[in-house]
Amino acid sequence: MSRSARRITATVLASGALLAAAALPASADGRDHGHNRPAQRSAVVLGAIQYDSPGRDNGSNRSLNAEWVTVTNTSRHSVNLRGWTLTDESRRSYRFDLRLPGRSSVRVHTGVGRDTSRDVYQDRRDYVWDSRDTATLRDNRGRKIDSESWGRHGGGNNNGHHGGNSNGHQGNNHGGGPRGNR
């Protein structure tokens, strides 16, 4: 084959590859592109939840910090959670300012404390997670990443990711202390 024929063949093959790549559907790269297609599932998910602190709900900081939500990064790579939010049904929200290493978790406690790589604190003086509630995790653009509901008959949640009180979700539905009618 002549040099010219090889160049023409190579050019035709390269052009075909470019056209084929351009013709792929927008969802092939795993992003939504504003077309309401399911985006690629996030590696960051809600883990275990202690939604009603064990023991007597006396409003102490110790009792407040005994209710928490775990956020877990299931990937090998760290994820920057700066600007992400964790919100309850009453729209009480905690804004993250941390990088979560790969294959690790952080507990978000309700009360006051000193943030570490494994525990962060909302610095609240009132309980957040009711015996019937929903925890919603959103990224820094406000997109829903994961949610978990509990305390409703029939279990389940809003997004089908977890089932009922599975995945290590815990909680007491006792009625003592100031939160007895929650």
Side-chain angles (χ1 to χ4, degrees):
M1 188 186 285
S2 73
R3 183 181 283 187
S4 319
R6 278 187 251 148
R7 284 185 185 162
I8 291 171
T9 302
T11 303
V12 168
L13 290 174
S15 298
L18 287 173
L19 287 172
L24 286 174
S27 63
D29 67 359
R31 292 180 289 186
D32 183 3
H33 295 286
H35 298 290
N36 294 324
R37 292 187 199 111
Q40 188 175 28
R41 181 176 222 141
S42 174
V44 179
V45 296
L46 294 174
I49 295 172
Q50 176 63 54
Y51 56 80
D52 189 2
S53 65
R56 189 158 184 255
D57 295 338
N58 58 13
S60 70
N61 194 51
R62 182 177 184 169
S63 179
L64 288 167
N65 282 331
E67 70 171 21
W68 41 260
V69 174
T70 304
V71 177
T72 301
N73 179 0
T74 62
S75 78
R76 294 181 305 160
H77 307 286
S78 68
V79 175
N80 186 357
L81 297 183
R82 178 175 275 174
W84 288 42
T85 58
L86 178 64
T87 308
D88 75 335
E89 283 183 355
S90 299
R91 301 198 185 249
R92 291 172 285 207
S93 186
Y94 171 76
R95 184 172 300 273
F96 290 89
D97 187 18
L98 63 95
R99 180 171 286 280
L100 188 58
R103 295 194 172 114
S104 67
S105 297
V106 64
R107 270 192 187 169
V108 181
H109 298 272
T110 299
V112 177
R114 184 181 203 133
D115 292 350
T116 68
S117 62
R118 293 182 177 225
D119 296 279
V120 295
Y121 299 85
Q122 296 188 53
D123 296 334
R124 294 185 183 276
R125 304 282 182 199
D126 294 311
Y127 296 96
V128 172
W129 307 109
D130 298 331
S131 58
R132 287 184 48 162
D133 212 337
T134 300
T136 303
L137 181 67
R138 294 187 183 275
D139 68 12
N140 59 353
R141 293 183 178 175
R143 290 182 297 220
K144 182 176 166 182
I145 300 300
D146 198 5
S147 71
E148 178 66 32
S149 296
W150 58 86
R152 287 161 177 78
H153 294 292
N157 58 39
N158 297 335
N159 69 356
H161 176 71
H162 302 292
N165 267 357
S166 65
N167 198 26
H169 299 279
Q170 307 169 14
N172 303 324
N173 293 325
H174 64 281
R179 296 194 303 167
N181 59 358
R182 290 174 80 193

